[in-house]
PDB file of all heavy atoms in Angstrom:
ATOM      1  N   ALA A 594      57.553 130.742 -67.162  1.00  0.00           N
ATOM      2  CA  ALA A 594      58.429 131.522 -66.287  1.00  0.00           C
ATOM      3  C   ALA A 594      59.831 131.653 -66.864  1.00  0.00           C
ATOM      4  O   ALA A 594      60.503 132.673 -66.674  1.00  0.00           O
ATOM      5  CB  ALA A 594      58.481 130.876 -64.903  1.00  0.00           C
ATOM      6  N   LEU A 595      60.283 130.630 -67.589  1.00  0.00           N
ATOM      7  CA  LEU A 595      61.635 130.658 -68.153  1.00  0.00           C
ATOM      8  C   LEU A 595      61.659 131.179 -69.582  1.00  0.00           C
ATOM      9  O   LEU A 595      62.653 131.022 -70.299  1.00  0.00           O
ATOM     10  CB  LEU A 595      62.248 129.263 -68.100  1.00  0.00           C
ATOM     11  CG  LEU A 595      62.504 128.726 -66.676  1.00  0.00           C
ATOM     12  CD1 LEU A 595      63.089 127.331 -66.720  1.00  0.00           C
ATOM     13  CD2 LEU A 595      63.415 129.670 -65.900  1.00  0.00           C
ATOM     14  N   GLY A 596      60.537 131.783 -70.015  1.00  0.00           N
ATOM     15  CA  GLY A 596      60.513 132.478 -71.285  1.00  0.00           C
ATOM     16  C   GLY A 596      60.256 131.623 -72.497  1.00  0.00           C
ATOM     17  O   GLY A 596      60.410 132.106 -73.629  1.00  0.00           O
ATOM     18  N   GLN A 597      59.861 130.374 -72.334  1.00  0.00           N
ATOM     19  CA  GLN A 597      59.582 129.527 -73.490  1.00  0.00           C
ATOM     20  C   GLN A 597      58.145 129.669 -73.980  1.00  0.00           C
ATOM     21  O   GLN A 597      57.793 129.153 -75.037  1.00  0.00           O
ATOM     22  CB  GLN A 597      59.876 128.066 -73.150  1.00  0.00           C
ATOM     23  CG  GLN A 597      61.346 127.816 -72.870  1.00  0.00           C
ATOM     24  CD  GLN A 597      61.625 126.345 -72.669  1.00  0.00           C
ATOM     25  OE1 GLN A 597      60.760 125.507 -72.880  1.00  0.00           O
ATOM     26  NE2 GLN A 597      62.846 126.030 -72.253  1.00  0.00           N
ATOM     27  N   LEU A 598      57.299 130.331 -73.189  1.00  0.00           N
ATOM     28  CA  LEU A 598      55.933 130.654 -73.588  1.00  0.00           C
ATOM     29  C   LEU A 598      55.685 132.115 -73.269  1.00  0.00           C
ATOM     30  O   LEU A 598      56.363 132.707 -72.404  1.00  0.00           O
ATOM     31  CB  LEU A 598      54.922 129.783 -72.831  1.00  0.00           C
ATOM     32  CG  LEU A 598      54.830 128.303 -73.213  1.00  0.00           C
ATOM     33  CD1 LEU A 598      53.814 127.605 -72.316  1.00  0.00           C
ATOM     34  CD2 LEU A 598      54.426 128.132 -74.670  1.00  0.00           C
ATOM     35  N   PRO A 599      54.702 132.744 -73.926  1.00  0.00           N
ATOM     36  CA  PRO A 599      54.378 134.134 -73.559  1.00  0.00           C
ATOM     37  C   PRO A 599      54.035 134.224 -72.080  1.00  0.00           C
ATOM     38  O   PRO A 599      53.464 133.302 -71.501  1.00  0.00           O
ATOM     39  CB  PRO A 599      53.168 134.457 -74.440  1.00  0.00           C
ATOM     40  CG  PRO A 599      53.258 133.497 -75.583  1.00  0.00           C
ATOM     41  CD  PRO A 599      53.886 132.256 -75.030  1.00  0.00           C
ATOM     42  N   SER A 600      54.403 135.355 -71.461  1.00  0.00           N
ATOM     43  CA  SER A 600      54.163 135.504 -70.028  1.00  0.00           C
ATOM     44  C   SER A 600      52.696 135.560 -69.696  1.00  0.00           C
ATOM     45  O   SER A 600      52.283 135.227 -68.588  1.00  0.00           O
ATOM     46  CB  SER A 600      54.857 136.772 -69.505  1.00  0.00           C
ATOM     47  OG  SER A 600      54.341 137.903 -70.189  1.00  0.00           O
ATOM     48  N   VAL A 601      51.859 135.995 -70.647  1.00  0.00           N
ATOM     49  CA  VAL A 601      50.411 136.010 -70.429  1.00  0.00           C
ATOM     50  C   VAL A 601      49.759 135.414 -71.657  1.00  0.00           C
ATOM     51  O   VAL A 601      50.323 135.444 -72.761  1.00  0.00           O
ATOM     52  CB  VAL A 601      49.875 137.441 -70.183  1.00  0.00           C
ATOM     53  CG1 VAL A 601      50.448 138.007 -68.905  1.00  0.00           C
ATOM     54  CG2 VAL A 601      50.215 138.340 -71.367  1.00  0.00           C
ATOM     55  N   PRO A 602      48.562 134.850 -71.520  1.00  0.00           N
ATOM     56  CA  PRO A 602      47.880 134.297 -72.691  1.00  0.00           C
ATOM     57  C   PRO A 602      47.550 135.394 -73.692  1.00  0.00           C
ATOM     58  O   PRO A 602      47.289 136.533 -73.324  1.00  0.00           O
ATOM     59  CB  PRO A 602      46.608 133.685 -72.108  1.00  0.00           C
ATOM     60  CG  PRO A 602      46.891 133.548 -70.638  1.00  0.00           C
ATOM     61  CD  PRO A 602      47.826 134.651 -70.286  1.00  0.00           C
ATOM     62  N   GLU A 603      47.622 135.050 -74.981  1.00  0.00           N
ATOM     63  CA  GLU A 603      47.210 136.007 -76.003  1.00  0.00           C
ATOM     64  C   GLU A 603      45.717 136.260 -75.898  1.00  0.00           C
ATOM     65  O   GLU A 603      44.947 135.389 -75.535  1.00  0.00           O
ATOM     66  CB  GLU A 603      47.538 135.453 -77.394  1.00  0.00           C
ATOM     67  CG  GLU A 603      49.025 135.232 -77.609  1.00  0.00           C
ATOM     68  CD  GLU A 603      49.292 134.624 -78.963  1.00  0.00           C
ATOM     69  OE1 GLU A 603      48.319 134.494 -79.743  1.00  0.00           O
ATOM     70  OE2 GLU A 603      50.446 134.278 -79.238  1.00  0.00           O
TER      71      GLU A 603
END
Side-chain angles (χ1 to χ4, degrees):
L595 294 179
Q597 295 185 8
L598 288 178
S600 60
V601 296
E603 298 177 6

